[in-house]
Amino acid sequence: RRRAMAIARQVLCLSALLSLPHARAEPIRYSVAEEAESGSLVGKLAEDAGLTPAQLSARRARLVSEDGRQHFRLERGSGRLVVAGRLDREELCGQSASCMLPFELLLSNPLQFFRVEVTLDDINDHSPVFSEKRVTFDILETSEPGSRFPLEGAQDLDIGSNNIQAYSILPENNYFSVSYGSRSEDDKYLELVLEKPLDREEQAEMGLTVVAVDGGSPPRSGTTQIHIVILDVNDNPPKFTQEVYIGKVLENMPEGSVVLTVLATDPDAGVNGDISYQLSQAAGQSDSAFVIDPITGEIKLTKPLDFEVSEHHELRVRARDGGGLSAICKVLVEVVDVNDNAPELVVSSFSSPLPENTVPGTVVALFTVRDRDSGANGKVSCALEDQLSFSLRPAYKNYYELVTVSALDREETPRYILSVTAADAGSPPLTTTQTFTVDISDVNDNAPVFNQTSYTMYVRENNVPTVFVGAVSAADADVGLNAKVTYSLAPVQGPERPSCSCISVNSENGHVFVLRPLDYEQLRQTEVTVSASDAGSPPLRANVSVRLVVLDENDNAPLVLYPAQDSSPASSELVPVSAEAGYLISKVVAVDADSGQNSWLSYHLLRATDPGLFSVGVQSGEVRLRRPVTERDSVKQKLVVLVRDNGKPPLSATAALSALLLKDFSDVRLPHGSPATEDQGDSLTTYLIIALVFVSLLFLISTAVFVARKVCKRKELEAGHVLYGADNLQSGLADAAAAGTLPRAYCYEISLTTGSGNSEFKFLKPIVPSLPPQHCAVGQGPEEQQDFPCVPVSTEDMVPDNRGTLSAGQFN
């Protein structure tokens, strides 16, 4: 109702517009093809109306149609008239010969309108259509040529040349044709015309196709099927369509499946045309697997077939009509193979385990494959799962060899699990998998390997015999006897110095023992080579260096070099009574054969005639005046100095010396010389000259030794090889840094009377015999040890350094 009211308002509006004086007399006409796409150009409406696009916008131009449907759209910006939506001529105008869509272009301010007419052109978008898709005619074979059979014509929604123009019949034949025409303007006819007599025995039925074609470009067509049945009399016996029927059946077809259908025809009608079928067994086939339907002629299975048992079956079928006439045909059934048998893999030989030194190309297994199926279903291929060490190699016909292709290593892979898959070419393929487990036997191809590149072991001197000091360990990647490791000391080869015979190695577990007590002062370290050998044939071995470091024990008491502590009366030190506090009287020189803190010496005043008069340097051993000499002090003073090392427990020694407090050295009365005394003086002079030369040489040697030992000692301290007591270390280093050992040269001036019988002064008389030459070891490691000849020096020229070792001092 609302739509009707809206249409009424638009009609009134158009009526009013038509009465306006500003309406254009002639309409603006355009044409456009149906089914044009939305937005397709119809015409330049603004230009044809004498307007500009700006005027369209300013005057609010719009399109108005009588039915209110907007088929077109005005683009105000360009003034073009375009298609607004889908245009179907058949929907808008039906079968009308022309199709025009009128509307108005309405302008406001001032009011003006233009009549626009758009003609919708027809396109060939419809095909001819028959009302019936299939038409059946029953025609007696006695029908005369020229007989007509009417047909319903096709309809085409298009008009003009796009409408139906002609009819034809397919396929072309001599029996029928098609006739098309019109009896009047609205009365059109289509007829099927018989052109030639029919013969039912020659052809009982016919199938034709009538085609209607329009005149479009390209043309469209429509068809209908014509089925013609020819009726005949019963005057023919049954006859099979084939003399031999050949059927194929899959061997896995189930019971009751149709193999094929035989067909016998009889042109007669009625009872004479009714045919029944009967199956006869072939000779030698008492238990047939087939049965035939007597009415339809279908041959079915009574049980499954097996291609591997029989590939072909031959049958006989008899067809009999109602009049007693019959015919026989032969049926050949071919059984089609189905891939119902998986490949079989038979192993002929298999070798396991394999030695790991097996050369590539060695045959591990030989096997054959077969498949009971035929054709592609029986064609078998073998594949080995991804494996880098083995491969398959065809041998002969269906034989395959499993061979090695690379070197084997038991230590890397002790066992291989090989899967060989045999697959046929069926669809889907069937597969069989055979697993070969190949164990790799060991070969002695790995030497023992020590868990360290070298070993360092420690033992304290004075150890108990056969003490355990450590162990070496080697592993062998092989197994069994090839991995059983025994240890031994390797013999020293070449001109090298023989190793210490005090070390023993347990052959079973590699434990290292020291067989006898060791003396640090005689042997500080030694190095041996331990060999690890397996029990293979031939055995393989590896060597490693074992360094044995002897740790020092405090087993040597200090030895006092000066003053001499032999049985002869000790000489007295001369001290002027005018000497001030701190005056150097003498120096106690002592050494300790131990090393490290065991050789750090400290000096203490044990007893003295007047203890308050003297002091002894704890680190230097220097005896000095603590205070000035007074008249109350005794002229002759006796002192006992205690020399103690820093070992645990500490060892000590004492040194006795005497001092004469003199106002003037001229008071000293020395005995007159005698020939023996003069000889002794000459000898002493010679000794002093020789000693001076040796002291100079020894100083150079000692300096080098001192630097070398300092470097080695620092390494030992960093490695934690030697432990020092904190208190003793601090005090020892402090005193050594402050005082040192004989840090500077001392001058002794001796004033003798004119009449002295002996002008020589005996000083630092040797108290021990000269040391014989011997080889000295310098350095700690084997590569640092060097042999130097030790020069015999009198002990009166030797002074201890801050480590307690003996070195040369300087005297003026």
Side-chain angles (χ1 to χ4, degrees):
R1 184 179 179 183
R2 290 180 181 178
R3 185 175 180 179
M5 294 176 65
I7 293 175
R9 285 197 298 269
Q10 291 178 358
V11 170
L12 292 176
C13 180
L14 287 174
S15 300
L17 289 174
L18 292 176
S19 62
L20 291 176
H22 297 285
R24 180 173 174 172
E26 292 294 330
I28 301 174
R29 293 185 175 88
Y30 299 105
S31 64
V32 63
E34 66 171 327
E35 304 295 344
E37 294 183 357
S38 177
S40 299
L41 176 65
V42 177
K44 298 180 180 180
L45 182 58
E47 181 178 343
D48 296 338
L51 301 172
T52 64
Q55 290 176 328
L56 294 177
S57 299
R59 299 179 64 180
R60 297 192 299 278
R62 60 192 180 93
L63 302 179
V64 179
S65 63
E66 296 178 359
D67 57 1
R69 299 173 62 185
Q70 297 293 335
H71 301 292
F72 304 98
R73 185 175 71 253
L74 177 64
E75 294 180 350
R76 292 184 179 181
S78 61
R80 301 193 317 162
L81 181 67
V82 298
V83 176
R86 178 176 177 271
L87 300 177
D88 188 351
R89 191 199 66 83
E90 289 74 26
E91 179 182 346
L92 296 175
C93 301
Q95 294 294 315
S96 176
S98 64
C99 183
M100 183 183 68
L101 302 177
F103 59 91
E104 285 73 32
L105 171 62
L106 180 62
L107 303 175
S108 302
N109 193 23
L111 183 63
Q112 187 180 6
F113 76 94
F114 296 89
R115 179 78 173 177
V116 182
E117 295 178 353
V118 179
T119 301
L120 197 60
D121 297 333
D122 181 54
I123 63 172
N124 190 22
D125 57 344
H126 292 86
S127 299
V129 178
F130 286 92
S131 59
E132 296 181 358
K133 293 296 183 182
R134 183 181 177 89
V135 179
T136 302
F137 291 99
D138 293 331
I139 304 175
L140 293 174
E141 62 177 339
T142 57
S143 297
E144 295 293 332
S147 301
R148 292 177 176 269
F149 305 94
L151 291 172
E152 186 73 28
Q155 299 294 326
D156 194 327
L157 296 179
D158 296 324
I159 62 173
S161 62
N162 293 329
N163 205 335
I164 298 172
Q165 302 296 319
Y167 289 91
S168 63
I169 189 169
L170 295 175
E172 295 182 358
N173 61 90
N174 297 324
Y175 292 97
F176 293 93
S177 65
V178 65
S179 176
Y180 169 71
S182 57
R183 299 183 181 88
S184 63
E185 183 177 355
D186 297 327
D187 186 12
K188 296 181 180 180
Y189 67 89
L190 177 64
E191 295 176 335
L192 191 66
V193 181
L194 179 63
E195 300 287 346
K196 179 182 177 181
L198 301 174
D199 185 359
R200 186 177 183 279
E201 284 71 29
E202 182 180 346
Q203 187 174 2
E205 294 181 354
M206 290 184 184
L208 304 175
T209 301
V210 176
V211 181
V213 181
D214 62 18
S217 179
R220 292 174 176 266
S221 62
T223 63
T224 182
Q225 302 296 323
I226 306 299
H227 182 222
I228 299 174
V229 179
I230 302 173
L231 304 177
D232 194 11
V233 294
N234 186 20
D235 57 353
N236 294 288
K239 185 178 181 180
F240 280 100
T241 57
Q242 299 175 215
E243 292 183 0
V244 178
Y245 289 87
I246 299 176
K248 294 184 178 181
V249 59
L250 299 176
E251 63 175 326
N252 63 347
M253 291 292 287
E255 180 182 347
S257 300
V258 177
V259 177
L260 56 84
T261 300
V262 295
L263 178 62
T265 61
D266 193 329
D268 298 329
V271 176
N272 293 328
D274 295 337
I275 299 175
S276 62
Y277 301 92
Q278 182 180 0
L279 184 66
S280 62
Q281 291 288 116
Q285 294 184 353
S286 58
D287 186 15
S288 177
F290 304 93
V291 67
I292 190 170
D293 189 304
I295 304 301
T296 62
E298 292 181 343
I299 299 177
K300 301 180 180 180
L301 292 176
T302 59
K303 62 181 179 179
L305 304 178
D306 190 352
F307 173 84
E308 287 72 34
V309 175
S310 178
E311 299 181 11
H312 302 280
H313 296 269
E314 182 177 335
L315 307 174
R316 299 282 180 177
V317 177
R318 180 183 296 273
R320 188 186 303 273
D321 63 13
L325 299 178
S326 65
I328 297 177
C329 71
K330 181 190 295 185
V331 177
L332 296 178
V333 179
E334 180 181 346
V335 182
V336 179
D337 182 42
V338 175
N339 192 24
D340 58 347
N341 292 281
E344 299 177 6
L345 192 149
V346 180
V347 180
S348 301
S349 66
F350 175 56
S351 299
S352 179
L354 288 178
E356 61 178 322
N357 60 352
T358 299
V359 296
T362 302
V363 178
V364 180
L366 176 66
F367 59 90
T368 180
V369 292
R370 64 182 182 182
D371 196 313
R372 297 179 59 194
D373 296 321
S374 63
N377 296 330
K379 186 178 181 180
V380 181
S381 61
C382 290
L384 178 65
E385 291 186 2
D386 294 341
Q387 179 57 245
L388 300 179
S389 300
F390 297 85
S391 68
L392 285 180
R393 182 174 65 191
Y396 172 74
K397 291 186 177 178
N398 55 345
Y399 280 87
Y400 290 86
E401 292 177 339
L402 180 63
V403 298
T404 61
V405 295
S406 63
L408 305 177
D409 189 356
R410 188 208 63 81
E411 289 71 37
E412 181 179 351
T413 307
R415 171 176 291 181
Y416 292 89
I417 299 178
L418 311 177
S419 296
V420 177
T421 301
D424 57 28
S427 180
L430 299 179
T431 60
T432 298
T433 301
Q434 176 70 36
T435 301
F436 296 91
T437 302
V438 182
D439 293 319
I440 307 303
S441 60
D442 185 49
V443 174
N444 191 25
D445 57 349
N446 290 278
V449 178
F450 284 95
N451 58 1
Q452 295 180 212
T453 56
S454 63
Y455 293 84
T456 300
M457 301 178 184
Y458 301 90
V459 61
R460 292 192 175 275
E461 65 173 330
N462 305 319
N463 55 284
V464 297
T466 66
V467 65
F468 172 75
V469 293
V472 296
S473 178
D476 196 310
D478 297 321
V479 295
L481 291 177
N482 296 330
K484 185 178 181 181
V485 180
T486 58
Y487 305 90
S488 63
L489 290 177
V492 179
Q493 298 179 356
E496 300 178 0
R497 291 180 296 176
S499 59
C500 179
S501 60
C502 58
I503 298 177
S504 174
V505 177
N506 188 302
S507 62
E508 297 296 330
N509 53 28
H511 289 182
V512 180
F513 299 90
V514 177
L515 301 178
R516 58 181 175 82
L518 301 180
D519 188 357
Y520 174 82
E521 288 70 35
Q522 294 182 1
L523 179 68
R524 297 196 175 186
Q525 68 178 13
T526 186
E527 188 170 330
V528 296
T529 299
V530 176
S531 177
S533 176
D534 57 29
S537 179
L540 300 178
R541 57 175 50 85
N543 295 334
V544 71
S545 176
V546 178
R547 186 177 66 162
L548 179 65
V549 178
V550 183
L551 302 179
D552 182 47
E553 290 278 338
N554 190 27
D555 57 347
N556 291 280
L559 175 62
V560 178
L561 302 180
Y562 181 84
Q565 300 299 308
D566 53 7
S567 58
S568 60
S571 59
S572 299
E573 305 293 338
L574 304 181
V575 180
V577 296
S578 60
E580 298 295 331
Y583 179 81
L584 177 62
I585 300 175
S586 182
K587 178 178 176 68
V588 177
V589 179
V591 295
D592 196 311
D594 296 321
S595 65
Q597 65 178 2
N598 294 330
S599 65
W600 292 357
L601 301 180
S602 60
Y603 302 87
H604 309 275
L605 184 60
L606 187 61
R607 291 193 304 273
T609 304
D610 189 352
L613 183 60
F614 304 97
S615 66
V616 178
V618 176
Q619 301 297 330
S620 63
E622 295 177 348
V623 180
R624 297 179 180 272
L625 289 178
R626 178 179 291 182
R627 59 176 175 79
V629 179
T630 62
E631 296 180 354
R632 291 180 295 179
D633 296 326
S634 174
V635 174
K636 188 174 183 179
Q637 297 284 339
K638 292 185 178 181
L639 298 87
V640 177
V641 176
L642 175 68
V643 182
R644 183 171 58 197
D645 60 24
N646 199 35
K648 292 183 179 181
L651 301 178
S652 60
T654 59
L657 56 88
S658 61
L660 295 178
L661 305 180
L662 302 178
K663 293 181 180 180
D664 190 354
F665 287 170
S666 61
D667 295 341
V668 179
R669 296 294 185 265
L670 297 178
H672 290 283
S674 59
T677 306
E678 291 177 359
D679 293 339
Q680 184 178 1
D682 294 339
S683 299
L684 181 59
T685 301
T686 302
Y687 291 152
L688 289 177
I689 293 174
I690 295 173
L692 182 60
V693 174
F694 280 114
V695 164
S696 300
L697 294 176
L698 188 59
F699 174 77
L700 297 177
I701 296 173
S702 301
T703 303
V705 173
F706 176 80
V707 172
R709 289 183 60 83
K710 274 291 186 180
V711 173
C712 295
K713 187 64 69 176
R714 179 174 299 175
K715 292 181 179 178
E716 292 180 359
L717 289 174
E718 290 176 353
H721 293 168
V722 181
L723 302 175
Y724 296 98
D727 297 335
N728 294 332
L729 178 60
Q730 293 177 358
S731 61
L733 293 176
D735 292 337
T741 302
L742 291 179
R744 61 181 178 274
Y746 296 92
C747 297
Y748 294 87
E749 298 180 359
I750 308 299
S751 300
L752 303 177
T753 58
T754 306
S756 301
N758 192 351
S759 62
E760 299 291 333
F761 180 73
K762 299 177 180 179
F763 181 65
L764 295 177
K765 183 178 180 180
I767 61 175
V768 296
S770 299
L771 299 175
Q774 59 182 347
H775 289 281
C776 299
V778 179
Q780 296 300 320
E783 66 280 358
E784 299 175 351
Q785 290 187 355
Q786 302 179 9
D787 291 341
F788 295 93
C790 294
V791 180
V793 180
S794 301
T795 54
E796 53 204 1
D797 297 329
M798 305 291 290
V799 296
D801 59 10
N802 58 351
R803 296 172 299 165
T805 58
L806 194 61
S807 60
Q810 295 181 355
F811 299 92
N812 292 330

